Amino acid sequence: MKRLVELLIMPPMSLYLGVLCGLCIRFVANRLPEPRPMLRRMGTSLAALSGAVLVALSIPQVAFWLLDSLQTSPAISPTAESIDAEAILVLSGDVDCDPPEFGPDQPGPISLQRCRYAARLSTRTGVPILISGGVLRPDRRAVSLVLRDFVQDELHVPVRWTEERSHTTRENARYSAEILARDGIRRVAVVTHAWHMPRAIEVCKAAGLVVLPAPTAPATPPANLRDAFVPRARSFRDSAWAIHEWIGRLWYRISA
């Protein structure tokens, strides 16, 4: 049910439904025995507004504004040789299932960025890594195990802990805190994307952790005016991530 609700309220599905509903309202209004201009205008406005938002979300400058509204934590200096943390907590992201060129599951693009930065941060500071992420599908390994193998086998950086039960960011924090508590650890450097960091900080603090934000891959503004306002599919994806984060933060506060 949760997945269905998320599908319906997130773009693009919610906007497609808005266009469809608007057209249906207009169609019904045109076929009523008596003219209903207000109902017809309502349908037209709903369809037009939904379509306009679809276009707006694909504009790079709009996508940047949405993501940048979430990027409130500065990056750790790339020359820092020590950090005020006892562990590096990596929040897992996506996974590529059974890629034909690799065979076993591999980290997806989002997970790759987080793993790469965590590995570099750990190598530079000597702080050990915990990767958090549970099973996405019953026939798959936990995401944290897929990421652990990548970090250790390809980046050649050890991973001290893995958390394999979580399915949400809130559970990432809760179960990771339990693992770290066994070693008396509370201070963590949280590695995730810059636009995901606000929600990550909130849940980690709620789980009793002392957080040092370690954001990676921040969104950057378009390079020029042409790039800023020419619609792109990638920009729509970026806008959807930002909207997902804002809705996620609101839901976590309501359901806390």
Side-chain angles (χ1 to χ4, degrees), residues 227-251:
D227 292 342
F229 293 100
V230 175
R232 299 180 184 276
R234 176 176 177 175
S235 298
F236 191 93
R237 179 205 63 185
D238 291 347
S239 295
W241 280 343
I243 293 170
H244 181 273
E245 283 306 304
W246 279 112
I247 292 175
R249 293 182 71 187
L250 177 62
W251 171 248

Side-chain angles (χ1 to χ4, degrees), residues 4-62:
L4 177 61
V5 172
E6 181 178 345
L7 174 66
L8 292 176
I9 66 175
M10 281 292 297
M13 181 60 73
S14 58
L15 298 174
Y16 291 155
L17 292 175
V19 172
L20 180 60
C21 288
L23 294 176
C24 288
I25 292 171
R26 182 179 172 84
F27 177 83
V28 171
N30 287 334
R31 282 167 177 63
L32 291 174
E34 297 182 5
R36 297 292 177 88
M38 183 175 293
L39 187 62
R40 186 167 57 249
R41 286 196 296 270
M42 183 187 304
T44 302
S45 298
L46 177 59
L49 178 62
S50 299
V53 174
L54 271 170
V55 173
L57 293 181
S58 68
I59 294 174
Q61 187 64 50
V62 172

